[in-house]
Amino acid sequence: MELRRKLEILADAAKYDASCASSGTDKRDSRKGGLGSTEGMGICHAYTPDGRCVSLLKVLLTNACVFDCAYCINRAGSNVQRARFTVRELVDLTLHFYRRNYIEGLFLSSGIIRSPDYTMEQITEVARQLREVHGFRGYIHLKTIPDAAPDLLAKAGLYADRLSINIELPMAESLRALAPEKDAPGIRRAMGRMRLRIDEAKEAKRTEGRAAAPRFAPAGQSTQMIVGADAADDRTVLGTTANLYASYGLRRVYYSAYSPIPDASALLPPAAPPLVREHRLYQADWLLRFYGFELDEIMAGGEGGHLDLGIDPKLAWALKHRERFPVDVNRAPREMLLRVPGLGAKTVDRLLSARRHRSIRSDDLGRLRLPLAKLLPFLVTADHRPRGGLLDRADLRRIVAPRTGFAAQARPVQLALL
Ligand code: SF4
C-alpha cells in the first residue's frame, strides 16, 4: 500500500483518540542542539470545533486489532480497510513533517497486533529511534497498552513526554460487557505503576537535579474515557473522573464522545448530541478542579444525574441558587467570585488585583470583554445593582442563557450499547 494511503487511513482512524497539546513537559529547544522543540512559535496546532487542541500528526501505528471492543471502529470484527506503518515509515514521516513545521510532535496510538507486548515494543521503538537515532526533541505522546509487560511501559516513559492508558469507559461493568478482552483492574494497576514511576522521576529531579535525574514522562499521564457508549450518567462520569485524578495523579482525563460506528448502527440511538455532552462534562470537570465546586453542587444544576445541556454548569448552578446572588465584585471573597457565571479564574484574579486600587465599575467589566448580559444580573459593581426582582424572575434563564445551544428539555436519551 502507498504511504500516502496508509497515512489517510491511519490518521483518520486516530481521530477517535482525544488528546491535547504539549502542555506541562520539559522545555527543550533545538537551538541548543538536536532537532525540534517542545515550545515556541511556528509549531502547528489544530483546534477542533469543540475546542480540542490536536497535533497534526496524530496517527495509529496500525488500525488492525485482535481485540473486539464493541464501541471501536477498529475492532477485529469491523469491516474497515486496514493499514500498518512500519517503524521506519513512522519515524521518517514524523521527521519530515516536523522539518516542514506541519506538526509539533507525534501522538501515537495503535490497535493491538499479535500481542500487547509486541505492539508496545513497536510503539516504543518509534519513539526510541526518534530520540536516540535522530535527536528528535519535539513532543511525543504515546498511548500505551495496559496489558503489556510493566518494563515495556517503563521503557516507553524514557522517550515519551506523556503517556496515556485509556480507562475506556466510566464503569468497570460496562467494560466487561463491551470489551471483555480488556481488564478494568489491570488498567488501573498499570496507571498506578505509571504514577509511581512519574513520581519517582519527579522526586529524583528535585533531589539530584534535572541533568542527573532519569527522565520519565515529564508531562505526566492522561487517560481517555468514552462517553455515551454505555448508560453511565454524567454524575457517574464525573465521579469516576474525580477518582482517577485523585488516585493516579493524572494530568488530564479526556472525554471522547462516542461516535456511532456504521456497522453497529442498529445498536445506537439517533441524533444524540455527543459533542455537547462532552463539552458540558469538560466544563463541569473544570469547575470541580479549579473553581471549588463539589460534585453534588454541580449535579444540582441538572436533572436525573445529568448536566443541563442547554447552559453551562456554573450558570445552571447559579440559577438554582439565586439566594447566593448578587455578589459584590468589590467586596466578595475569591471563592464566591469564582461562582459568578461568566467570570473565569484569571478574570477573578485580575479583578481582585484591580480592586485593591479602585472600585470596579461596569465599564471595567466591558473592557475585559466579559459577557455582560450573563454577568450583570448576578453582580453588584460600584455603579450597578441588578434591578429589583430580576433575580426572582421566572424567565431569568431566557435572559442570561446564550441564544444558541440545546434546550434542556430537548435532551435526547442516550441509549446504551449494553
Ligand atoms: S483494543 Fe483498542 S483498537 Fe482494539 S478494538 Fe479495543 S479499543 Fe479498538
Side-chain angles (χ1 to χ4, degrees):
M1 188 185 282
E2 260 188 34
L3 189 61
R4 191 188 186 91
R5 179 66 189 138
K6 284 188 190 180
L7 187 58
E8 276 171 15
I9 294 171
L10 294 170
D12 186 66
K15 71 186 177 198
Y16 302 102
D17 266 303
S19 70
C20 203
S22 45
S23 54
T25 189
D26 282 346
K27 291 178 183 166
R28 294 191 301 274
D29 189 336
S30 59
R31 285 171 297 186
K32 296 174 187 149
L35 172 70
S37 306
T38 51
E39 57 170 24
M41 299 296 291
I43 293 173
C44 297
H45 294 79
Y47 292 92
T48 57
D50 53 328
R52 208 181 297 154
C53 166
V54 291
S55 164
L56 288 182
L57 189 55
K58 187 169 84 164
V59 287
L60 302 187
L61 179 74
T62 176
N63 65 341
C65 191
V66 295
F67 281 18
D68 205 34
C69 310
Y71 48 80
C72 178
I73 188 83
N74 300 319
R75 69 187 192 280
S78 175
N79 184 24
V80 292
Q81 189 176 9
R82 309 288 177 169
R84 177 181 169 183
F85 282 126
T86 63
V87 169
R88 175 74 189 269
E89 285 171 337
L90 256 180
V91 168
D92 287 350
L93 269 178
T94 307
L95 296 172
H96 191 69
F97 286 163
Y98 205 106
R99 287 194 176 106
R100 290 181 170 223
N101 207 20
Y102 291 171
I103 57 166
E104 65 161 341
L106 173 67
F107 172 93
L108 183 58
S109 184
S110 183
I112 297 173
I113 31 171
R114 287 198 215 167
S115 69
D117 281 359
Y118 175 77
T119 310
M120 198 62 236
E121 279 167 9
Q122 295 274 298
I123 290 172
T124 305
E125 182 59 13
V126 173
R128 189 198 68 77
Q129 287 196 16
L130 280 169
R131 296 282 195 233
E132 292 189 346
V133 180
H134 300 281
F136 183 74
R137 297 168 74 84
Y139 182 79
I140 297 179
H141 179 158
L142 298 180
K143 279 269 162 118
T144 61
I145 315 288
D147 299 333
D151 56 329
L152 289 173
L153 268 64
K155 192 173 174 194
L158 303 178
Y159 306 115
D161 291 279
R162 177 168 286 181
L163 295 173
S164 52
I165 298 177
N166 286 354
I167 191 77
E168 303 288 15
L169 295 169
M171 301 188 293
E173 55 268 35
S174 307
L175 196 68
R176 271 195 297 279
L178 297 178
E181 291 138 312
K182 293 202 169 177
D183 168 27
I187 291 171
R188 284 181 170 264
R189 275 196 301 278
M191 289 172 129
R193 280 194 295 269
M194 207 177 277
R195 178 184 193 166
L196 276 180
R197 288 188 181 275
I198 290 168
D199 288 350
E200 280 168 12
K202 267 192 212 151
E203 180 60 18
K205 195 161 144 187
R206 199 179 62 76
T207 54
E208 299 166 30
R210 179 189 293 264
R215 185 180 184 281
F216 190 90
Q221 66 167 321
S222 59
T223 193
Q224 174 178 295
M225 191 188 296
I226 298 166
V227 175
D230 66 359
D233 60 15
D234 292 343
R235 176 184 281 277
T236 306
V237 171
L238 290 168
T240 302
T241 302
N243 174 274
L244 289 170
Y245 279 120
S247 304
Y248 307 109
L250 299 180
R251 294 298 278 266
R252 194 72 196 265
V253 175
Y254 292 106
Y255 299 121
S256 177
Y258 173 61
S259 305
I261 303 167
D263 61 353
S265 55
L267 297 169
L268 300 168
L275 288 178
V276 178
R277 184 182 181 199
E278 183 188 292
H279 180 58
R280 296 291 178 229
L281 284 166
Y282 274 125
Q283 290 177 319
D285 175 38
W286 212 250
L287 294 182
L288 286 168
R289 289 195 291 148
F290 304 115
Y291 284 74
F293 280 82
E294 299 291 333
L295 181 57
D296 283 342
E297 292 179 307
I298 289 175
M299 296 318 303
E303 298 288 343
H306 281 286
L307 299 168
D308 189 326
L309 287 185
I311 51 177
D312 70 78
K314 200 207 278 191
L315 179 57
W317 175 83
L319 287 172
K320 291 205 174 171
H321 293 86
R322 301 180 191 196
E323 75 285 356
R324 307 279 295 269
F325 297 95
V327 166
D328 189 336
V329 72
N330 287 300
R331 290 202 170 78
R334 183 174 190 272
E335 50 278 16
M336 197 55 219
L337 288 175
L338 285 174
R339 291 181 173 241
V340 176
L343 285 187
K346 277 189 187 157
T347 304
V348 166
D349 290 338
R350 289 174 74 175
L351 292 172
L352 288 172
S353 167
R355 80 184 190 185
R356 281 192 212 114
H357 308 290
R358 58 191 167 78
S359 292
I360 309 287
R361 303 173 64 84
S362 310
D363 283 356
D364 298 321
L365 304 178
R367 274 194 286 277
L368 291 172
R369 297 180 182 272
L370 297 175
L372 295 184
K374 180 178 182 180
L375 194 58
L376 288 178
F378 298 98
L379 213 56
V380 172
T381 67
D383 60 341
H384 162 82
R385 172 169 281 278
R387 56 181 193 279
L390 177 61
L391 274 170
D392 298 322
R393 278 177 62 159
D395 63 347
L396 180 59
R397 178 187 173 113
R398 187 185 56 73
I399 295 168
V400 294
R403 297 269 177 267
T404 55
F406 286 82
Q409 63 273 21
R411 164 178 269 284
V413 176
Q414 172 72 56
L415 303 179
L417 273 173
L418 297 171

